[in-house]
Amino acid sequence: MKFNDMQQKAVVHRTGPCQVLAGPGSGKTLTVVNRIRYLIEECNVRPEEILVVTFTRYAAAEMKSRLAALTGRKNLPVTAGTFHGIYYGILKWAYKFDSRNILSEEEKYQILRSVISGQDLEVFDEEDFLRDIAEEIGRIKNNRLPLEEFVSAKVNAGSFRDIYKAYEERRKSLRKIDFDDMLVVCYELFRSRPDILALWQKKFRYILVDEFQDINRVQYDVIRMLALPENNLYVVGDDDQAIYGFRGADSELMFRFLRDYPDAEQIVLGTNYRSTGNIVKNSLKVISHNKRRFQKELTAVKDSGKCLHVQEVGSPAEEAEYVADQIEKYIGGGNAAEETAVLFRIHTDARPLVEELIKRHIPFQMKEHLPNIYDHFIAKDIQSYLRLASGRRERRDFLQVMNRPKRYIGRDSIQGAEVSFEDIRKFYCDKDWMLDRIDQFEWDVKMLAKMAPYAAIQYIRKRIGYDDFIRDYAYTHHVERADLNEILAELEESSKPCSSIEEWFRHIEEYTETLRLKERQKSMDQEGVRLMTLHAAKGLEFDAVWLIEAMEGQIPYKKAKTDKETEEERRLFYVGMTRAREQLTVCYAKTKNGKAAEPSRFVDELLEDG
């Protein structure tokens, strides 16, 4: 098998610490698998002494499968698995753990739900809140952070500490560990029992870690313990593709590795076999603006290929039409839809394109769950107002909006499955000030009945006072008002093409049903254009890629405030660009939700000379 010079160097590395920097499309897996084969066949290392750590079970299975194909030996006893899988195996051996000792996700959320109900907290979307709190608890454990110094993004410091301590108390009383504890408990076991650590060090004399840029502190600390005393620690990753800081990954550990192992060999796999010369050159123009990175030369094997195309459009709706046109042309030219992808920063960026693809009957599939904007509480409020405007009088619609904005209408005034304004007036017949409010409510509903959805939403926001309700809601629930306003603006935009309330409701129903169908089909191998976030695209490759909504506030995302966060956003953009083999288009809109938008600074970097 023919390797380039750097691949060959990486394959024949035998002992001591080594860091392999593997650029996009550089033949990383091929190199890693051949290095394992080299250890077994050329260096007479026993397969049982080799540990391969990956970040997904799929990657571990793929590694073992390719190793079996390469060596012709199906059941080589090389240990390959995820960090959690490996560390759980050690705990099973040491503590006789079994599945009964593992806290399921369902049990974890039951405990958190119970703990939070005992706190004086106002929570609107419970599922989102629980998920975010669970992630923050995981971040503390994975990075061994002091609880007293941790700043929660969801609640004040005192409330978070109370939640964390109560959760840990309940978990321990059940004699169970959660997913994150597998790492922490393994660390504590090795710290307190050097005899046990020595046994595992003797077993795993050669350790290889894939996707090293995604490692967190506790994973790193345990793997360093395991590697002693021989330090045959071989780590493979790419600092330019470190995009999981929000999950607790610490890209700084890529640099710390060389401080902890000053004698480590560093090998750069810089030859890109995936993308054309123009794609490689332009992706480097962007990523080279990051200050915190290893400098490396990356070159393409393929020729220059098509020029990278940057497309300016007027709005996300125009962008959706443009991309749909391009996809139709591309597929019409005999190319496979499955080899095309549209990438975006956050899920809501995809809505206009999804609606356009549905309209044109272009098949598509989604790798992840795409949240339905029409399921958001704001969308439900708007829909309730418009159902009332359409003459429907269901109790649930009254309850949804009767105090949005505040009208001081009590639930006890709403009786029966169907309600009328007259019934509410009768209930408050002795309160003139309430009758005025009810009259105004009814008048507003009558006004909405005469309007197209776009005008109706504006009327709800400005004349009825829904924007004021959102301002107060954001303040009392400690959420970003701008995020809620963005949902409102998205709903306005989506309603623009519809001339009647009924037409908008039909559109919502069709969109919702399509998403539901796609969700059910996700596990199956479906046909169609691939739609996914930039995060989900990592590790994948396509012939043609459209990277959409490349505007300031979208990518880099508006919540990226620090230089460190902006550099991670730039790495994310770089990951998106380097998914393309032959054709790459970057799109940005001049307006979004009726407001002027600026092209992303990453687009500006692309357009620089040189």
Side-chain angles (χ1 to χ4, degrees):
M1 193 171 291
K2 182 77 173 159
F3 298 108
N4 66 42
D5 290 347
M6 289 297 101
Q7 286 175 329
Q8 181 65 23
K9 193 176 180 185
V11 166
V12 300
H13 176 86
R14 177 156 184 192
T15 57
C18 178
Q19 183 183 68
V20 178
L21 299 178
S26 60
K28 177 191 73 170
T29 306
L30 174 77
T31 304
V32 164
V33 170
N34 274 277
R35 192 252 174 173
I36 299 169
R37 182 205 59 78
Y38 172 78
L39 287 176
I40 296 168
E41 295 183 356
E42 307 292 329
C43 306
N44 297 315
V45 173
R46 291 169 54 235
E48 295 91 338
E49 295 180 322
I50 300 173
L51 170 65
V52 181
V53 188
T54 65
F55 274 83
T56 66
R57 286 196 294 270
Y58 174 82
E62 170 80 358
M63 202 80 78
K64 290 205 80 167
S65 169
R66 289 180 69 163
L67 185 60
L70 186 65
T71 60
R73 297 167 64 184
K74 269 192 177 177
N75 297 310
L76 271 174
V78 171
T79 301
T82 64
F83 276 104
H84 287 90
I86 301 298
Y87 293 1
Y88 177 53
I90 292 169
L91 296 178
K92 277 173 75 174
W93 176 87
Y95 294 127
K96 305 295 183 281
F97 276 178
D98 61 29
S99 58
R100 289 169 298 182
N101 298 106
I102 305 300
L103 197 68
S104 70
E105 285 297 288
E106 189 180 337
E107 290 173 313
K108 175 195 266 192
Y109 283 105
Q110 280 175 354
I111 293 173
L112 282 173
R113 197 173 281 112
S114 168
V115 164
I116 288 163
S117 68
Q119 300 280 321
D120 185 23
L121 296 171
E122 193 175 1
V123 177
F124 182 79
D125 192 328
E126 186 183 62
E127 291 311 307
D128 280 355
F129 184 80
L130 289 173
R131 187 183 63 246
D132 291 343
I133 291 291
E135 279 182 8
E136 291 187 334
I137 289 172
R139 206 170 304 149
I140 287 174
K141 294 182 178 185
N142 287 325
N143 292 291
R144 298 200 292 113
L145 301 173
L147 176 60
E148 292 69 30
E149 294 174 18
F150 184 78
V151 179
S152 168
K154 303 305 291 183
V155 292
N156 64 54
S159 294
F160 181 80
R161 281 196 291 271
D162 290 345
I163 291 169
Y164 185 93
K165 288 173 182 173
Y167 167 74
E168 286 292 276
E169 246 174 60
R170 301 266 183 96
R171 177 186 64 74
K172 287 173 183 173
S173 71
L174 294 169
R175 300 180 63 78
K176 293 195 175 194
I177 62 171
D178 65 24
F179 198 61
D180 301 304
D181 289 319
M182 288 183 200
L183 311 179
V184 178
V185 175
C186 199
Y187 171 80
E188 290 167 351
L189 170 68
F190 284 169
R191 283 284 302 271
S192 61
R193 293 289 303 272
D195 55 326
I196 290 176
L197 173 59
L199 288 171
W200 289 97
Q201 287 169 336
K202 192 174 178 183
K203 176 171 173 56
F204 296 132
R205 293 182 54 231
Y206 292 83
I207 299 173
L208 185 148
V209 182
D210 191 21
E211 301 288 3
F212 186 68
Q213 75 280 349
D214 297 333
I215 203 167
N216 65 40
R217 177 66 190 274
V218 73
Q219 289 166 342
Y220 181 68
D221 289 344
V222 174
I223 218 74
R224 285 196 70 209
M225 287 183 195
L226 267 179
L228 289 167
E230 295 178 77
N231 286 333
N232 294 325
L233 184 54
Y234 186 95
V235 301
V236 184
D238 182 8
D239 55 304
D240 288 335
Q241 296 186 69
I243 59 173
Y244 292 118
F246 70 98
R247 283 189 194 163
D250 185 358
S251 59
E252 279 297 310
L253 295 171
M254 290 285 289
F255 303 94
R256 179 169 169 173
F257 183 85
L258 295 181
R259 294 200 301 273
D260 289 337
Y261 301 98
D263 58 334
E265 184 172 19
Q266 188 184 68
I267 303 167
V268 179
L269 303 184
T271 304
N272 186 313
Y273 294 91
R274 174 191 301 159
S275 305
T276 62
N278 274 324
I279 291 170
V280 172
K281 181 182 77 174
N282 282 291
S283 63
L284 276 173
K285 277 172 71 174
V286 174
I287 200 63
S288 62
H289 282 78
N290 270 5
K291 293 182 174 62
R292 190 64 168 145
R293 66 184 290 263
F294 291 113
Q295 295 300 317
K296 38 186 126 46
E297 291 295 320
L298 301 176
T299 57
V301 168
K302 293 181 179 179
D303 62 17
S304 294
K306 291 182 180 179
C307 290
L308 171 124
H309 183 66
V310 177
Q311 180 68 37
E312 178 184 271
V313 293
S315 68
E318 282 183 34
E319 180 181 66
E321 289 175 12
Y322 168 77
V323 172
D325 285 343
Q326 294 301 305
I327 288 171
E328 282 182 328
K329 283 179 194 167
Y330 190 79
I331 297 171
N335 299 293
E338 295 72 33
E339 288 301 332
T340 68
V342 182
L343 310 181
F344 37 86
R345 175 61 181 86
I346 56 170
H347 295 107
T348 51
D349 293 345
R351 180 197 56 78
L353 179 64
V354 168
E355 293 184 341
E356 189 66 25
L357 295 177
I358 291 170
K359 189 168 82 177
R360 298 191 190 201
H361 305 290
I362 297 174
F364 68 94
Q365 53 179 295
M366 300 175 298
K367 188 177 178 191
E368 326 134 87
H369 167 68
L370 184 65
N372 185 352
I373 191 172
Y374 301 115
D375 285 340
H376 195 280
F377 83 85
I378 290 177
K380 288 180 176 176
D381 288 351
I382 300 296
Q383 289 172 65
S384 286
Y385 267 117
L386 296 188
R387 274 193 293 270
L388 292 174
S390 300
R392 290 161 66 174
R393 293 291 180 264
E394 291 176 26
R395 184 172 188 268
R396 66 186 178 94
D397 287 324
F398 271 100
L399 290 174
Q400 183 83 20
V401 297
M402 65 189 188
N403 286 311
R404 296 184 171 187
K406 198 76 175 164
R407 297 183 179 93
Y408 300 95
I409 300 173
R411 290 178 73 92
D412 49 357
S413 69
I414 310 291
Q415 302 297 327
E418 295 239 335
V419 184
S420 72
F421 285 103
E422 197 51 47
D423 290 338
I424 306 173
R425 267 192 284 267
K426 284 176 184 171
F427 186 86
Y428 288 109
C429 61
D430 57 340
K431 293 183 174 66
D432 289 347
W433 62 278
M434 278 301 295
L435 293 176
D436 289 343
R437 290 171 186 271
I438 297 159
D439 288 345
Q440 185 62 50
F441 188 7
E442 185 176 25
W443 170 257
D444 287 332
V445 165
K446 283 177 181 173
M447 292 298 292
L448 291 174
K450 303 170 185 176
M451 299 176 186
Y454 182 71
I457 295 172
Q458 290 185 313
Y459 186 91
I460 292 166
R461 294 184 67 176
K462 307 301 179 190
R463 290 297 299 262
I464 293 179
Y466 193 80
D467 278 1
D468 296 333
F469 159 72
I470 286 297
R471 181 197 61 216
D472 297 340
Y473 178 92
Y475 177 76
T476 56
H477 290 77
H478 308 290
V479 296
E480 289 285 338
R481 183 180 173 188
D483 292 346
L484 301 180
N485 283 340
E486 199 170 295
I487 296 290
L488 274 165
E490 281 281 328
L491 290 167
E492 272 187 15
E493 286 295 309
S494 80
S495 72
K496 258 185 184 175
C498 302
S499 57
S500 69
I501 291 171
E502 291 73 22
E503 186 185 347
W504 194 49
F505 279 142
R506 280 197 302 274
H507 166 74
I508 291 171
E509 197 174 324
E510 183 184 6
Y511 181 82
T512 301
E513 185 52 38
T514 301
L515 289 194
R516 194 178 294 125
L517 188 63
K518 296 293 177 189
E519 192 69 25
R520 284 205 300 269
Q521 294 172 340
K522 232 177 16 185
S523 59
M524 300 156 65
D525 188 21
Q526 294 299 309
E527 297 178 350
V529 179
R530 268 53 172 170
L531 269 56
M532 65 192 77
T533 62
L534 291 163
H535 282 103
K538 187 165 178 294
L540 304 177
E541 55 186 79
F542 308 93
D543 287 341
V545 169
W546 286 266
L547 210 163
I548 64 171
E549 298 247 345
M551 291 99 76
E552 285 291 304
Q554 302 303 114
I555 177 83
Y557 193 50
K558 61 191 173 188
K559 291 182 180 176
K561 306 289 188 189
T562 65
D563 288 346
K564 184 178 179 181
E565 289 166 339
T566 301
E567 292 213 344
E568 179 155 321
E569 292 286 308
R570 188 177 281 106
R571 293 194 291 268
L572 192 54
F573 193 79
Y574 173 76
V575 163
M577 292 182 71
T578 54
R579 299 311 92 197
R581 298 188 194 108
E582 306 290 339
Q583 181 177 317
L584 175 62
T585 305
V586 177
C587 303
Y588 67 90
K590 290 192 289 184
T591 64
K592 182 172 173 67
N593 297 331
K595 294 180 181 174
E598 294 291 325
S600 167
R601 68 194 73 178
F602 308 148
V603 171
D604 291 341
E605 290 161 7
L606 271 177
L607 299 176
E608 289 171 359
D609 293 333

